[in-house]
């Protein structure tokens, strides 16, 4: 949220996040290399490169796994929202770790004088029909290409240039990248690896990603289908004190549109649950300095009319709310972006 | 076969470098009229512009032709 595009919009929280992230990755890679060195002492330079290659490769795989777990974890437990806040930097760092893995692989071929054979690994077409012997490096390179595209378009400028639906679709390709990496590791293990640790890492990671997505999906489906509506179609939100102060309760209209109903003391207002920046879940955010603040990147909007405070120009769709016999209800029909629609509630009891 | 693929990749990258450099220098501002760009921001935008250069070129040309 700035009138000037900067390379990186750092703040104190993001700096701490990035420092912890980089330290964690460095400790993992150094630890992996130390254990592998002790377990199978390298006999020559290719062996040394092989240790680092695996350290960076497994780090990238685990980082991608954590990235995919953060979204459902944040939906299941709001304490994980802190991890979601700066996930973009996590993704960019994952690309650099994966790129280093590829660089070490090229170096591994180079020090043995085998670099000229590397292109044939990708273009020996008959191997693509095999299961054992499949050119698994191609899968890894395809995953890296997706991660490169995501990292290169992670700046806010690209969101505006590509438009949110295209940008979002492009960045959902992280699931395709993960699938490719899983296949890359699985097929690579079958050809070269005989320790059970990496298969266990693969199965555990895949299981965690799948289970968390199913749990979060089930919870959201349950929430989307349990909302009562009044005779005139207004949706029941609940008594005012059922909405956390400075927080929101999310209700879902029949068309699937999620509405975030916020309370700031006695003021109650409803906005679309989608942030204008990257469609972040506004209803999982808080009211900070009088403004609804997106949990993903801190974009802010006034509760009264859904407008970003000046000099910013973003405006959100708002919804009418009413106080009806002690409970708050919301009209599921959206108002034009920036329309004032909040009310002051007479007795919140909070 | 691999030589042809590598040559095609090199050509794509070369065109991307030229287009990307031109875009972040003079083109990007057309798509963010009310915003300014710091030098580090232009450098950060360069990989995306170089990678997506055919689409960037298409949008840039269209934006120029739409100008009065």
């Amino acid at each position: 949220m700035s009138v000037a595009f900067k390379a990186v919009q750092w703040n104190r929280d993001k700096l701490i996040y990035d420092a912890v992230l980089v330290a964690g990755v460095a400790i993992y890679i150094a630890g992996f290399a130390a254990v592998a060195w002790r377990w199978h002492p390298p006999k020559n330079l290719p062996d040394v490169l092989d240790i680092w290659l695996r350290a960076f490769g497994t780090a990238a795989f685990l980082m991608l796994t954590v990235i995919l777990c953060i979204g459902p974890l944040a939906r299941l437990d709001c304490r994980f929202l802190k991890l979601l806040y700066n996930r973009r930097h996590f993704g960019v760092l994952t690309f650099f770790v994966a790129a280093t893995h590829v660089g070490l692989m090229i170096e591994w071929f180079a020090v043995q004088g085998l670099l000229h054979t590397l292109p044939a690994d990708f273009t020996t077409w008959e191997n693509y029909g095999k299961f054992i012997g499949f050119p698994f490096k191609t899968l890894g390179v395809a995953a890296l290409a997706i991660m490169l595209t995501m990292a290169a378009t992670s700046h806010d400028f690209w969101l505006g240039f590509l438009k949110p639906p295209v940008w979002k679709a492009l960045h959902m390709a992280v699931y395709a990248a993960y699938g490719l990496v899983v296949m890359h590791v699985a097929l690579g293990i079958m050809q070269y690896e005989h320790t059970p640790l990496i298969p266990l890492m693969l199965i555990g990671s895949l299981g965690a990603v799948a289970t968390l997505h199913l749990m979060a999906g089930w919870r959201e489906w349950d929430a989307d289908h349990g909302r009562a509506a009044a005779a005139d179609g207004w949706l029941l939100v609940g008594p005012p004190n059922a909405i956390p102060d400075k927080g929101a309760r999310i209700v879902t209209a029949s068309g699937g549109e999620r509405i975030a109903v916020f309370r700031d003391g006695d003021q109650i207002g409803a906005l679309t649950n989608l942030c204008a920046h990257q469609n972040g879940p506004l209803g999982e955010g808080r009211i900070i300095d009088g403004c609804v603040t997106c949990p993903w990147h801190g974009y802010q909007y006034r509760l009264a009319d859904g407008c970003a405070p000046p000099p910013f120009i973003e405006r959100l769709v708002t919804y009418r709310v009413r106080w009806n016999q002690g409970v708050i209800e919301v009209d599921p029909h959206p108002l034009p972006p920036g329309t004032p629609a909040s009310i002051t509630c007479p007795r919140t009891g909070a | 076969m691999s030589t042809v693929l590598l040559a095609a990749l090199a050509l794509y990258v070369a065109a991307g470098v030229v287009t990307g450099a031109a875009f972040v220098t003079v083109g990007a501002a057309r798509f963010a009229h009310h915003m300014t760009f710091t030098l580090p921001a232009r450098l950060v935008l360069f990989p995306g512009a170089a990678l997506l250069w055919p689409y960037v070129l298409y949008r840039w040309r269209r934006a120029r032709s739409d100008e009065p």
Side-chain angles (χ1 to χ4, degrees):
Chain A
M1 209 166 175
S2 169
V3 289
F5 278 118
K6 294 178 181 170
V8 183
Q9 298 275 11
W10 263 310
N11 57 32
R12 186 176 173 275
D13 286 345
K14 287 186 179 182
L15 283 170
I16 292 170
Y17 188 113
D18 288 350
V20 171
L21 185 61
V22 170
V25 172
I27 289 168
Y28 172 83
I29 290 171
F32 184 103
V35 171
W37 204 290
R38 205 175 175 86
W39 204 355
H40 293 295
K43 298 180 184 67
N44 47 39
L45 183 56
D47 284 357
V48 173
L49 287 171
D50 191 55
I51 287 174
W52 289 111
L53 193 152
R54 286 163 192 261
F56 276 87
T58 55
F61 175 73
L62 292 173
M63 289 170 77
L64 207 48
T65 301
V66 173
I67 285 171
L68 291 181
C69 288
I70 288 174
L73 276 173
R75 285 190 152 66
L76 292 167
D77 188 329
C78 61
R79 283 174 296 182
F80 290 99
L81 280 170
K82 286 180 181 173
L83 297 178
L84 194 65
Y85 179 56
N86 204 22
R87 188 171 52 171
R88 203 177 343 185
H89 290 191
F90 205 147
V92 173
L93 183 62
T94 304
F95 162 72
F96 282 114
V97 171
T100 306
H101 168 72
V102 174
L104 286 164
M105 184 267 292
I106 293 169
E107 186 65 12
W108 187 84
F109 275 83
V111 296
Q112 297 177 92
L114 298 172
L115 199 53
H116 63 282
T117 66
L118 188 56
D121 268 17
F122 296 90
T123 54
T124 308
W125 308 115
E126 57 268 27
N127 286 347
Y128 285 91
K130 297 175 183 172
F131 184 64
I132 303 295
F134 187 91
F136 68 94
K137 292 187 193 73
T138 307
L139 301 170
V141 168
L144 188 73
I146 293 173
M147 290 162 71
L148 168 63
T149 309
M150 290 171 60
T153 58
S154 63
H155 194 280
D156 277 350
F157 171 82
W158 293 109
L159 179 73
F161 183 84
L162 297 170
K163 307 298 175 199
V166 175
W167 191 92
K168 187 82 179 170
L170 189 67
H171 285 247
M172 288 297 280
V174 66
Y175 288 97
Y178 191 64
L180 288 165
V181 170
V182 166
M183 293 301 293
H184 168 74
V185 177
L187 291 169
I189 288 167
M190 285 175 196
Q191 291 175 38
Y192 298 113
E193 190 64 66
H194 302 292
T195 138
L197 292 178
I198 292 186
L200 282 174
M201 177 193 78
L202 193 66
I203 293 165
S205 301
L206 197 55
V209 170
T211 305
L212 285 170
H213 277 78
L214 286 172
M215 285 170 67
W218 171 256
R219 185 185 237 198
E220 296 212 344
W221 186 90
D222 199 38
D224 286 356
H225 291 80
R227 190 60 51 185
D232 56 0
W234 285 56
L235 300 170
L236 173 67
V237 180
N241 58 10
I243 307 169
D245 191 24
K246 310 280 185 198
R249 191 157 188 185
I250 299 169
V251 296
T252 307
S254 57
E257 173 75 19
R258 288 187 180 151
I259 303 166
V261 184
F262 279 89
R263 180 163 76 85
D264 187 5
D266 290 344
Q267 187 189 16
I268 292 179
L271 309 171
T272 174
N273 193 45
L274 299 177
C275 178
H277 177 218
Q278 284 184 14
N279 291 346
L282 269 185
E284 294 170 21
R286 302 277 301 159
I287 293 178
I288 299 171
D289 299 331
C291 287
V292 171
T293 305
C294 180
W296 280 12
H297 304 105
Y299 270 54
Q300 291 192 305
Y301 308 92
R302 291 191 300 245
L303 178 58
D305 56 10
C307 294
F312 308 109
I313 56 170
E314 293 86 357
R315 292 185 305 163
L316 296 178
V317 160
T318 57
Y319 295 84
R320 289 186 295 164
V321 286
R322 72 184 178 195
W323 161 267
N324 185 15
Q325 297 178 341
V327 295
I328 297 296
E329 294 176 341
V330 59
D331 181 0
H333 299 102
L335 297 168
T339 306
S342 70
I343 61 168
T344 301
C345 194
R347 288 162 292 143
T348 62
Chain B
M1 185 64 185
S2 56
T3 311
V4 174
L5 287 176
L6 283 173
L9 183 66
L11 268 178
Y12 186 91
V13 170
V17 168
V18 173
T19 308
F23 182 73
V24 299
T25 308
V26 294
R30 288 175 191 273
F31 297 90
H33 297 295
H34 57 286
M35 306 286 271
T36 56
F37 291 86
T38 62
L39 179 62
R42 290 178 196 274
L43 294 175
V44 165
L45 296 184
F46 173 74
L51 192 67
L52 303 177
W53 70 264
Y55 182 66
V56 165
L57 210 52
Y58 163 73
R59 286 284 306 277
W60 192 4
R61 287 189 59 153
R62 212 176 64 173
R64 286 185 65 168
S65 64
D66 286 348
E67 280 179 0

